[in-house]
Amino acid sequence: MAAHRSWLFVSFFLLEVLLLEAAKILTISTLSTSHYILMNRVSQILHGSGHNVTKLLYEGGDIPDFRNENSSYQIINWRLPEDQQKTFDNRWHQLIEEFVYGR
């Protein structure tokens, strides 16, 4: 019985070692500076742990020039098409206007 338990232990150990791989992780920061800083730190920690991290960075957000810093992971910049950006901006302004007037 002891040999069976040791074989079971060895098989679980080998299974853990063989399946231990890095994950491919996509992080997204779209809204503002605080979200960018948080996701930047999360991406750094994950990349430091050996994961393959790619960051999707929305160029239309209110993010200052943090984009110029050197990062160890891949960053992909993206932007909405013009017509969708205009629609988004119109809806955003309507939402802010209603919020300000307390509706």
Side-chain angles (χ1 to χ4, degrees):
M1 190 60 134
H4 184 272
R5 286 185 187 164
S6 64
W7 174 249
L8 187 62
F9 176 73
V10 169
S11 66
F12 280 133
F13 177 73
L14 287 176
L15 186 63
E16 261 318 295
V17 171
L18 293 176
L19 293 179
L20 190 62
E21 296 180 11
K24 292 182 179 180
I25 300 173
L26 177 67
T27 58
I28 302 171
S29 56
T30 57
L31 295 176
S32 63
T33 305
S34 62
H35 289 88
Y36 176 82
I37 292 171
L38 176 69
M39 291 313 295
N40 187 37
R41 184 66 183 137
V42 168
S43 299
Q44 288 174 351
I45 291 171
L46 289 171
H47 189 267
S49 298
H51 297 285
N52 183 6
V53 178
T54 302
K55 185 175 191 176
L56 192 60
L57 180 61
Y58 176 59
E59 289 183 342
D62 295 332
I63 299 173
D65 289 332
F66 293 116
R67 301 173 203 190
N68 296 333
E69 64 187 39
N70 294 331
S71 60
S72 56
Y73 50 87
Q74 181 182 5
I75 297 176
I76 299 173
N77 296 319
W78 69 281
R79 179 176 287 278
L80 285 173
E82 277 188 49
D83 57 337
Q84 291 179 359
Q85 184 66 42
K86 287 178 184 178
T87 304
F88 176 79
D89 290 340
N90 289 337
R91 289 183 182 170
W92 179 254
H93 290 300
Q94 289 173 356
L95 179 68
I96 295 299
E97 190 175 301
E98 288 182 12
F99 179 72
V100 168
Y101 292 121
R103 295 183 196 164

